Amino acid sequence: MNSSLHTTHLTESPTALFDFETTATAHGWVALRPFEWDATAQALRRTQQLSSGQVVRLTMTADDSSEAEVHITIDSAAPLSATEEDEARRAVRRMLRLEEDFSDFYRLYQQYSDWSLQLKPGEGRLLRCPTLFEDIIYTLCTTNINWRGTIRMVDRLVAALGESVPGQAEWRAFPTAEAIIEAGADFLKRETGLGYRSGYVWELAAAVTEGRLDLGAFERPDYPTATLRRDLRQLKGVGDYAAATILMLLGRYEHLAIDSELRLFVTKKYFEGETPTEAQIRELYAPWGQWQYLAYWFDTPAP
DNA sequence: GTCCAGGTCGCGC
DNA sequence: GCGCGACATGGA
């Protein structure tokens, strides 16, 4: 323990029924640095650089009995300003989707008794990063690579370019867009194993820092999903799969992210080993309308 | 060596 | 619109 660190305790409340552990662990993001799941403590941790430049370490937990509250512990080198504290709260709310409403999804789930989804009350939320910028880069790192490769690339990206909490070299944040720009695409390719994705990541960071791309606009609820999807597809490296994944991260579940993993899953469960066409796959989950992505995600595998 | 991974791009038709 | 090869990298 480093006694020079400041500790701040906060609580946040979800607006609806909430399962903390599933939210943290139900998809792969938790395995990507700087996320960390502490199974013993049932704690989700992430080092994060705030807009002020200060790097903090967030630890999130929730009581077993009361899903009503998320406890946040923030370790920082300097005391948090009110602005920083507010940003940390917003980061947690975004990561855990505390404001999202899944009641329509649950209603459909009750109604579709012939489907075998594995879904308990309060489940449905999938972890995301504090910012869309980070979520998009994670997504780019899942394309045309196996999962170990994704973990490795993100790990090296954080190690190479992430700022750390002063005196805590192992508490390293995800790199800012500015840090990525400064490093350059060649550095990315050489030092992070991003391969040909280096150009995509660098271009995204450039568009953000130069103000050509306003990712904040993509978070607006009144942005029509079709427009959003079209705009996401404009980003280099974002195809149909990545766009659907990013839409999921933005809380829009009406598009399936059809990839090798999904294909394998439905081939085994619904098509008796015969590889289906994309149209057949879409038709399969179509009854779930706005919730197709989650219907697939929480679908149980073939026995 | 070859193939492929929770794909996408740019080309030619 | 559709089909096809190239793309970085590391593991099987």
Side-chain angles (χ1 to χ4, degrees), chain A residues 123-245:
Chain A
E123 296 188 343
R125 291 176 178 78
L126 299 176
L127 184 67
R128 50 187 185 172
C129 296
T131 68
L132 179 58
F133 175 72
E134 296 161 327
D135 275 332
I136 295 175
I137 295 179
Y138 273 18
T139 303
L140 289 172
C141 289
T142 65
T143 59
N144 195 25
I145 190 104
N146 61 28
W147 183 242
R148 287 306 303 176
T150 300
I151 292 174
R152 187 176 50 245
M153 286 192 292
V154 175
D155 204 66
R156 290 171 66 178
L157 188 56
V158 169
L161 295 173
E163 293 290 331
S164 61
V165 175
Q168 307 288 329
E170 73 281 13
W171 292 357
R172 211 164 274 284
F174 195 84
T176 60
E178 290 77 10
I180 289 170
I181 292 311
E182 213 172 305
D186 288 345
F187 176 92
L188 291 179
K189 196 186 249 183
R190 204 170 56 243
E191 302 295 328
T192 67
L194 279 169
Y196 67 89
R197 301 168 197 78
S198 300
Y200 302 156
V201 169
W202 190 88
E203 170 54 28
L204 176 71
V208 167
T209 53
E210 291 166 18
R212 285 182 281 125
L213 179 65
D214 176 17
L215 292 180
F218 289 174
E219 307 263 10
R220 294 171 52 117
D222 60 348
Y223 212 115
T225 301
T227 316
L228 195 44
R229 180 170 178 280
R230 187 201 61 201
D231 291 347
L232 288 168
R233 287 288 275 97
Q234 302 294 316
L235 303 176
K236 288 292 176 209
V238 177
D240 282 338
Y241 153 81
T245 301

Side-chain angles (χ1 to χ4, degrees), chain A residues 3 31 74 76 101 168 218 257 265 296 302:
Chain A
S3 57
I74 308 171
S76 57
D101 178 11
Q168 307 288 329
F218 289 174
F265 178 94
Y296 157 68

Side-chain angles (χ1 to χ4, degrees), chain A residues 5 30-31 38 61 98-99 114 125 137 147 150 160 253:
Chain A
L5 288 176
V30 74
D38 181 341
T61 57
L98 296 186
E99 274 134 60
D114 48 335
R125 291 176 178 78
I137 295 179
W147 183 242
T150 300
Y253 306 105

Side-chain angles (χ1 to χ4, degrees), chain A residues 266-285:
Chain A
V266 299
T267 298
K268 282 201 259 188
K269 176 158 185 179
Y270 297 103
F271 296 94
E272 295 165 345
E274 297 277 323
T275 311
T277 64
E278 283 210 11
Q280 288 177 298
I281 296 173
R282 293 188 198 287
E283 192 182 353
L284 172 63
Y285 285 101

